[in-house]
Amino acid sequence: MESTAVSHIRTTFKALAAADDGGIGVTRSFYSILFAKYPGMREIFPAVMEMQADRLLDAIAYIVENLDDMDKVQSFLVQLGRDHRRYGITEDHFIAVGGTLIATLERFAGTELWTEEVDLAWREAIALIAAVMLGEINASDAPGVWTGTVVEHKQVLQDVAIVRLQLDQPMSYGAGQYVGVSVPSRPRMWRYLSPAIPANDAGQIEFHIRRVAGGWVSPAMVRGVTPGERWNLSAPLGSLGVDRTTGRDQLMIASGTGIAPLRAQIMEMAMRGNNPRVHLFVGGTYPCDLYDLETLWQLARTNPWLTVIPVSEETVNPWWHTDPAPVTPPGMSERLTGKLGEVVAEFGAWEDRDIQIVGSPSTVQTIKYRLQAKGTPMDNVRHDPLF
Ligand SMILES: Cc1cc2nc3c(=O)[nH]c(=O)nc-3n(C[C@H](O)[C@H](O)[C@H](O)COP(=O)(O)OP(=O)(O)OC[C@H]3O[C@@H](n4cnc5c(N)ncnc54)[C@H](O)[C@@H]3O)c2cc1C
């Protein structure tokens, strides 16, 4: 896009986002107009729209911010397009959304700000967004939604469950990627989960799920699941994985169920003959939070390139945890005590490593700060989007 068009878009967006409510009123209005004009569109969205407004605003903000780096915008829109395949989106949907967005922006900007040039610039940007997303949506014959049956639900901690499913059709995903998941008790409320095992032709898939207190969906995924129920999964996304082109050894850092995508990568590596060295730090608050140590130990025992270092913030389990603490299996590094980021950084800056960090958004940020303070080159650090 031309720089004047980019600057028109930025100026209007900045003015709207500077409103007292941070632009939330604009997105609420957008959905009201959309659903009033195109009632059929309501079915695509969840019953509770609370987070939807933030998501739309975040996506537009990201695009506006990066409009002068089209490669970045393009790869973001490709992911967004792939993610939207689950909704069965067509060109008509984009026409409805694009038209509604223009109408909403115009209404909020007012006649002074919404000049002919501004109108043209936004239309150009919206056409570009629709073209890239539709291109990606139509690019593949793979299904928009995979269906699967829960075959096992294992409560490994009070707030963590391992759920195994048999998919009707195998899904081809890279170890380290994540997928959208929707469960029958929370229809259309998709949440991202990272498969904990590599893709396989038999269509088996496993998720490790933590209940977020006050969350809409995760409590139902952890407690209310019964074998036989049917889940929907959407196309794989994300770019975590071992980049073999760098030739560098790997540092993997997992907090809680963040172990899932790293474990999938390690399992995939274990099927290969030649691998870089991997140091995996796996952390939790209490020793009992390290629910997957046995599997990790088995992997480390048979793969000399892998070192697993368990870390917990507390030395003993909470009084209300009645199961015996998991013993660090013989042959595995002793469990270390401390905050995960601090413990990892105590070993040095790890400047010669490719680094992946997986956990809740705040944990990932904290670990990044610790490493940055130690001198770790941030270009070597990767993580999933933090939302
Ligand atoms: C790329 C990606 C991969 C993910 N993989 C997994 C996975 O393998 N296993 C897993 O259990 N979860 C995973 N998540 C988190 C998951 O998608 C949900 O965000 C989480 O389960 C909360 O959903 P909810 O509906 O219960 O909470 P919401 O109703 O969506 O949110 C309720 C509140 O909790 C906060 N919140 C949301 N997520 C978290 C979180 N992770 N930690 C702390 N607070 C949070 C929200 O900001 C909000 O304030 C992943 C998220 C992303 C972005």
Side-chain angles (χ1 to χ4, degrees), residues 33-53:
I33 300 171
L34 184 71
F35 297 153
K37 224 168 153 193
Y38 305 95
M41 293 284 286
R42 186 65 188 89
E43 280 167 29
I44 295 176
F45 294 90
V48 181
M49 290 289 293
E50 205 176 305
M51 284 167 75
Q52 205 63 39

Side-chain angles (χ1 to χ4, degrees), residues 232-308:
N232 292 327
L233 276 59
S234 66
L237 299 168
S239 57
L240 282 190
V242 175
D243 180 357
R244 288 175 182 267
T245 61
T246 66
R248 280 197 284 261
D249 286 337
Q250 308 288 309
L251 170 64
M252 298 183 177
I253 308 169
S255 167
T257 53
I259 189 61
L262 299 179
R263 168 196 206 267
Q265 291 176 51
I266 289 168
M267 284 178 168
E268 186 165 77
M269 291 170 82
M271 294 179 222
R272 291 168 172 252
N274 203 358
N275 285 301
R277 258 186 102 191
V278 177
H279 278 84
L280 168 68
F281 286 83
V282 53
T285 307
Y286 298 105
C288 61
D289 289 333
L290 307 172
Y291 63 89
D292 206 31
L293 279 191
E294 180 65 34
T295 307
L296 298 174
W297 175 63
Q298 297 288 356
L299 283 163
R301 220 165 55 119
T302 46
N303 294 286
W305 44 265
L306 173 65
T307 305
V308 179

Side-chain angles (χ1 to χ4, degrees), residues 157 285-290 312 314-326 335:
L157 292 171
T285 307
Y286 298 105
C288 61
D289 289 333
L290 307 172
S312 66
E314 304 288 338
T315 49
V316 291
N317 283 330
W319 62 267
W320 42 261
H321 182 89
T322 47
D323 290 342
R335 178 167 43 78

Side-chain angles (χ1 to χ4, degrees), residues 67-200:
L67 269 177
D68 38 19
D69 183 349
M70 278 327 261
D71 286 348
K72 214 167 165 185
V73 172
Q74 174 100 8
S75 63
F76 174 72
L77 290 173
V78 164
Q79 293 268 328
L80 207 58
R82 196 171 305 155
D83 202 20
H84 276 69
R85 288 192 26 233
R86 61 188 173 204
Y87 303 119
I89 302 263
T90 63
E91 196 170 354
D92 286 347
H93 292 102
F94 278 101
I95 292 170
V97 167
T100 307
L101 191 55
I102 293 284
T104 316
L105 292 171
E106 185 176 359
R107 190 168 128 189
F108 273 83
T111 44
E112 210 169 297
L113 204 57
W114 196 262
T115 61
E116 205 179 317
E117 294 79 37
V118 169
D119 184 85
L120 275 175
W122 273 100
R123 283 180 198 278
E124 188 189 341
I126 288 169
L128 184 129
I129 292 169
V132 178
M133 285 180 70
L134 260 176
E136 180 60 23
I137 288 169
N138 298 327
S140 156
D141 291 337
V145 173
W146 280 257
T147 44
T149 305
V150 173
V151 289
E152 191 183 0
H153 170 266
K154 204 164 131 196
Q155 195 80 36
V156 289
L157 292 171
Q158 263 191 1
D159 60 349
V160 175
I162 294 180
V163 180
R164 298 194 173 102
L165 291 108
Q166 175 64 56
L167 298 180
D168 300 337
Q169 182 179 353
M171 179 192 275
S172 169
Y173 57 86
Q177 286 197 296
Y178 55 93
V179 298
V181 178
S182 102
V183 298
S185 58
R186 298 288 184 275
R188 302 199 302 276
M189 296 184 78
W190 294 84
R191 292 293 183 271
Y192 294 123
L193 296 177
S194 309
I197 56 172
N200 56 80

